[in-house]
Amino acid sequence: MVYTDYNEESVADLISRIQVFCYPRRIRVREFFNDFDPLRHGRCSVINFARAMDMMGMALTEEDVSLLTEHFTQEGPNVIQPQVVQYRKFCEAVDEVYIHGSPAEYQMSSSPSSTQLMTFKPSSLEEEERFMHALHRLASLCRARGVHLKDLFLELDRAPIPSPSRQSPFMGGKCTKGQFIRRFPFKKEFIPEDIELIANHYLTEKGDVHF
């Protein structure tokens, strides 16, 4: 089956939403599929996939479920209708949040939360979920579009001489908050409040953003 870039990006964003829901609650998605796969083939029907999502408590629309089941549908001589949805692959994708801490930084190879400043203390579970959702969505967009986020900011901390536009030390890995927001590559996909939320979570004591 062939998927468009839009569908791939939508699936990545949807999985990130599910990870944001599961991570603070320490939910293991696989547990909700056990009753629907007694032979442990790693597949279930479309209806049972939707039931598993309902049991988990994740509020998904019919379009969300359709997108996931289409993406994870398996075809082949060993696949018997109606158990065609490869839920095991879906669970593995969601469980990356526990293996790596979150979807990998920029290229899904390390955790965005692993670079998070340890001084961050969310004011509420809702704020933490909003931040993690924004961070996961950023990682998904970078992966889907081949963007190396760090490269967009490197020149800001490599000035040979001090200047107002390059206020951070050489190779310091920091830029001003204004510079971070101006260089942020997905302004059309993020509301300004979420961009500022990401910037605020990586602020140093001097007010720079540690990118």
Side-chain angles (χ1 to χ4, degrees):
M1 186 175 296
V2 179
Y3 301 98
T4 65
D5 292 339
Y6 172 80
N7 278 337
E8 289 287 356
E9 183 177 316
S10 298
V11 169
D13 184 54
L14 184 51
I15 289 175
S16 290
R17 282 173 47 201
I18 296 171
Q19 289 175 325
V20 169
F21 177 83
C22 293
Y23 186 68
R25 298 170 176 82
R26 297 299 185 265
I27 294 174
R28 292 290 182 173
V29 182
R30 189 184 301 268
E31 297 175 1
F32 298 93
F33 290 94
N34 287 338
D35 292 341
F36 304 130
D37 184 24
L39 299 181
R40 300 296 184 265
H41 287 157
R43 296 184 298 273
C44 69
S45 67
V46 172
I47 292 177
N48 285 338
F49 185 94
R51 288 172 178 167
M53 293 295 97
D54 286 339
M55 291 166 56
M56 187 176 68
M58 182 73 189
L60 297 179
T61 65
E62 291 184 7
E63 290 76 12
D64 291 337
V65 173
S66 177
L67 181 64
L68 288 172
T69 54
E70 178 182 0
H71 182 79
F72 288 100
T73 290
Q74 183 180 12
E75 299 176 351
N78 296 325
V79 179
I80 302 175
Q81 295 282 352
Q83 278 72 30
V84 297
V85 182
Q86 203 169 19
Y87 76 82
R88 184 175 296 166
K89 291 293 184 182
F90 165 75
C91 293
E92 289 173 357
V94 175
D95 283 350
E96 286 185 12
V97 75
Y98 301 112
I99 297 173
H100 302 297
S102 74
E105 182 184 20
Y106 317 134
Q107 292 298 311
M108 307 300 279
S109 59
S110 63
S111 166
S113 60
S114 68
T115 65
Q116 183 178 333
L117 296 182
M118 298 307 293
T119 55
F120 163 56
K121 295 292 186 293
S123 61
S124 65
L125 178 61
E126 290 74 19
E127 182 182 280
E128 181 181 5
E129 288 190 357
R130 180 184 165 197
F131 168 66
M132 292 300 293
H133 182 208
L135 200 64
H136 290 183
R137 186 159 180 254
L138 175 59
S140 298
L141 285 168
C142 287
R143 181 184 66 169
R145 301 184 184 180
V147 174
H148 293 266
L149 195 62
K150 185 176 181 180
D151 293 348
L152 302 178
F153 301 97
L154 284 179
E155 70 177 66
L156 297 176
D157 71 343
R158 296 190 178 186
I161 57 175
S163 74
S165 64
R166 294 180 171 87
Q167 301 174 14
S168 298
F170 179 76
M171 296 295 291
K174 297 184 288 293
C175 65
T176 67
K177 184 177 178 180
Q179 289 171 335
F180 179 86
I181 292 174
R182 285 195 297 272
R183 291 285 182 110
F184 193 82
F186 304 117
K187 291 187 178 70
K188 293 182 179 179
E189 291 79 8
F190 283 78
I191 61 175
E193 290 79 6
D194 282 349
I195 299 176
E196 186 165 352
L197 179 66
I198 295 173
N200 287 340
H201 281 70
Y202 291 96
L203 284 179
T204 67
E205 292 181 356
K206 295 183 177 180
D208 290 330
V209 177
H210 202 303
F211 62 82

